[in-house]
């Protein structure tokens, strides 16, 4: 369909902090008889929308300094509901692309994009807008269903995200195997005796490799939990023994920070669960308790039966959590930003995985805390 609607050119605003992308979009779309204006950031985009009332479509990058593409989408859909938004997303901003679609973005284009993809996305949106205008004039329902379009795009983004996680995890895990092998050989003295300094250096490298493995496993777990692809192997499990095993796994890290672990367990603590995955949850909770604890602090693990259920409570006397942070603590990639937590490691997915596993196994998990306790 022609970009014109009853003689009026469709006006497109391109928002991207990369000048070559702006020039590419402007040249291509202008050659197809669209009117195109470009700006380098979200603040300039909102100013342009305030100055002009003829903009029909905004094409916005998601990752920009200042006002990012997610905020641009939210504000455009709120303040200028007749304006449609197409977002440009790379692998690194897939989560934001999902959020932008939920906020009302009409489409997304994956970076780096080819010209046909951009042309197709814009032309389909212009056609939908024209159909919607005609339907409004005739008093008919808009076609096609925007709900169905949104579901389709969200599914496409979800598949793109899972593809990214799978490819990236594979590429990261593959070189770790020979690296770990050589490190273990060196640590065992297979290539000659080591000095104490050399052994300590290799032990540090080994720990960092295991941290990286843990991050990758968590990413894959998120993918599997969201796609219902995680498999569970249920078996009778004594939670007293399971937690003791988890404590052993974090013992060396706890010793480095002079953190002690005290366990209290009473009653019949056997349940049917997946012991391997629940152990991973326990290790995550204990690792967090060590990481955010005070030097020389204590971790308490209380396990007890409460009717038909068993409760496991992991507590510490570390830095605590602000009340405002509690609702987000289990969200993906969420990390507390406080002056005393800037140097703590992690990418903010361990607790997300823990919650997913616990809930998939029929349990519940939550947090209670105050700052500095």
């Amino acid at each position: 369909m022609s970009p014109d609607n009853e003689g009026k050119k469709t006006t497109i605003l391109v928002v991207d902090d990369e000048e070559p992308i702006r020039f590419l979009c402007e040249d291509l779309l202008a050659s197809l008889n669209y009117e195109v204006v470009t700006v380098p950031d979200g603040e300039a985009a909102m100013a342009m929308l305030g100055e002009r009332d003829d903009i029909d479509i905004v094409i916005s990058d998601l990752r920009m300094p200042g006002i990012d593409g997610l905020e641009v989408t939210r504000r455009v859909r709120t303040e200028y509901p007749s304006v449609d938004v197409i977002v440009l997303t790379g692998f690194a901003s897939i989560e934001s692309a999902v959020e932008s679609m939920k906020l009302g973005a009409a489409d997304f284009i994956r970076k780096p994009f080819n010209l046909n993809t951009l042309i197709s996305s814009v032309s389909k949106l212009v056609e939908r807008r024209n159909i919607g205008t005609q339907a409004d004039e005739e008093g008919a329902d808009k076609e096609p269903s925007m709900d169905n379009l949104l579901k389709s795009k969200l599914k496409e983004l979800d598949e793109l995200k899972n593809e990214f996680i799978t490819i990236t995890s594979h590429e990261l895990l593959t070189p770790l195997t020979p690296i770990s092998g050589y490190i273990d050989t060196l640590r065992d003295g297979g290539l000659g005796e080591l000095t104490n300094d050399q052994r300590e250096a290799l032990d540090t490298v080994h720990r960092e490799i295991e941290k990286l493995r843990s991050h990758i496993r968590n990413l894959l777990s998120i993918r599997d939990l969201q796609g219902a692809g995680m498999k569970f192997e249920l078996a009778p499990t004594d939670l007293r023994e399971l937690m003791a095993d988890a404590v052993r796994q974090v013992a060396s890290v706890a010793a480095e920070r002079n953190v002690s672990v005290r366990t209290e367990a009473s009653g019949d603590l056997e349940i049917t669960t997946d012991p391997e995955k629940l152990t991973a949850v326990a290790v995550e909770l204990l690792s967090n308790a060590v990481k955010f604890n005070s030097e020389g602090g204590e971790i308490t693990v209380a396990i007890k039966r409460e009717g038909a259920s068993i409760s496991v409570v992991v507590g510490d006397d570390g830095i605590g959590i602000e009340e405002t942070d509690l609702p987000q603590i289990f969200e993906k990639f969420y990390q507390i930003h406080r002056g005393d937590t800037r140097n703590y490691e992690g990418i903010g997915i361990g607790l997300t995985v823990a919650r997913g596993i616990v809930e998939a196994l029929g349990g519940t998990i939550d947090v209670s805390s105050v700052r500095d306790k």
Side-chain angles (χ1 to χ4, degrees):
M1 178 175 289
S2 168
D4 292 344
N5 182 26
E6 295 184 356
K8 176 189 175 296
K9 280 188 177 182
T10 296
T11 303
I12 300 173
L13 172 62
V14 178
V15 191
D16 200 301
D17 59 332
E18 296 183 58
E19 190 174 56
I21 298 293
R22 297 199 304 274
F23 285 165
L24 173 65
C25 292
E26 183 176 18
D27 288 347
L28 176 65
L29 296 173
S31 71
L32 297 173
N33 203 31
Y34 296 108
E35 182 175 346
V36 185
V37 290
T38 69
V39 292
D41 54 53
E43 186 175 354
M46 298 313 302
M48 182 67 69
L49 284 162
E51 294 170 4
R52 300 183 56 156
D53 61 2
D54 62 337
I55 294 174
D56 302 296
I57 299 171
V58 172
I59 299 177
S60 176
D61 188 23
L62 279 174
R63 303 193 71 179
M64 297 183 294
I67 300 177
D68 63 11
L70 194 60
E71 179 64 9
V72 168
T73 302
R74 186 192 67 78
R75 290 182 59 178
V76 169
R77 297 305 298 154
T78 301
E79 300 172 24
Y80 307 97
S82 64
V83 178
D84 285 305
V85 180
I86 298 173
V87 296
L88 305 176
T89 178
F91 270 135
S93 54
I94 291 173
E95 290 290 338
S96 294
V98 173
E99 290 304 311
S100 71
M101 296 298 293
K102 292 178 180 178
L103 288 172
D107 200 358
F108 73 94
I109 300 174
R110 175 177 167 181
K111 279 185 168 182
F113 57 85
N114 62 50
L115 302 184
N116 287 333
T117 300
L118 178 61
I119 294 170
S120 175
S121 179
V122 171
S123 62
K124 287 179 181 178
L125 181 53
V126 169
E127 184 174 357
R128 290 212 307 263
R129 289 176 61 86
N130 289 340
I131 291 174
T133 300
Q134 294 168 7
D136 285 343
E137 292 173 353
E138 298 168 4
D141 293 333
K142 293 184 178 182
E143 294 291 344
S145 168
M146 292 305 295
D147 285 342
N148 290 338
L149 288 168
L150 175 60
K151 289 177 183 177
S152 174
K153 286 298 177 182
L154 287 175
K155 181 180 179 182
E156 188 177 343
L157 273 170
D158 194 52
E159 291 172 351
L160 180 61
K161 176 179 62 178
N162 287 337
E163 177 190 354
F164 165 65
I165 292 174
T166 300
I167 293 172
T168 303
S169 299
H170 174 76
E171 293 301 317
L172 289 173
L173 283 172
T174 298
L176 281 184
T177 300
I179 292 172
S180 295
Y182 280 115
I183 293 296
D184 290 342
T185 300
L186 289 168
R187 293 171 73 216
D188 294 339
L191 297 178
E193 290 299 317
L194 300 174
T195 66
N196 288 336
D197 288 344
Q198 289 171 334
R199 186 173 298 280
E200 288 179 7
L202 289 173
D203 287 344
T204 300
V205 173
H206 174 75
R207 285 195 299 271
E208 295 305 313
I209 288 174
E210 290 308 307
K211 287 179 184 177
L212 181 55
R213 285 189 195 275
S214 176
H215 293 328
I216 296 170
R217 284 195 294 265
N218 281 339
L219 283 171
L220 292 172
S221 294
I222 287 178
R223 178 202 63 184
D224 294 341
L225 285 166
Q226 291 181 336
M230 180 170 282
K231 306 298 181 184
F232 293 94
E233 300 290 337
L234 303 182
T237 304
D238 189 313
L239 284 185
R240 182 185 286 102
E241 296 178 0
L242 185 147
M243 290 303 297
D245 180 39
V247 169
R248 283 191 291 271
Q249 292 188 43
V250 302
S252 61
V253 180
E256 289 178 4
R257 303 200 66 239
N258 194 27
V259 172
S260 60
V261 182
R262 177 168 55 86
T263 301
E264 301 173 354
S266 61
D268 176 13
L269 301 178
E270 184 172 292
I271 61 171
T272 298
T273 188
D274 186 316
E276 179 181 347
K277 291 184 174 60
L278 200 57
T279 298
V281 172
V283 169
E284 174 64 27
L285 299 181
L286 289 168
S287 297
N288 274 346
V290 171
K291 180 166 61 174
F292 294 105
N293 214 328
S294 55
E295 190 79 22
E298 182 182 66
I299 297 171
T300 58
V301 179
I303 318 169
K304 63 179 180 179
R305 180 171 287 280
E306 298 178 343
S309 302
I310 295 177
S311 68
V312 179
V313 180
V314 178
D316 66 73
D317 48 14
I319 63 173
I321 304 169
E322 298 275 11
E323 183 178 356
T324 54
D325 288 311
L326 291 177
Q328 289 83 37
I329 203 71
F330 292 103
E331 297 301 319
K332 289 191 296 293
F333 308 115
Y334 184 82
Q335 290 181 302
I336 299 170
H337 295 290
R338 243 171 62 183
D340 53 2
T341 63
R342 288 175 186 168
N343 296 324
Y344 288 95
E345 299 174 340
I347 58 177
I349 58 175
L351 288 177
T352 305
V353 173
R355 179 179 64 177
I357 290 175
V358 169
E359 292 181 349
L361 289 169
T364 60
I365 183 170
D366 61 12
V367 58
S368 61
S369 183
V370 294
R371 180 167 178 151
D372 299 324
K373 290 188 180 181

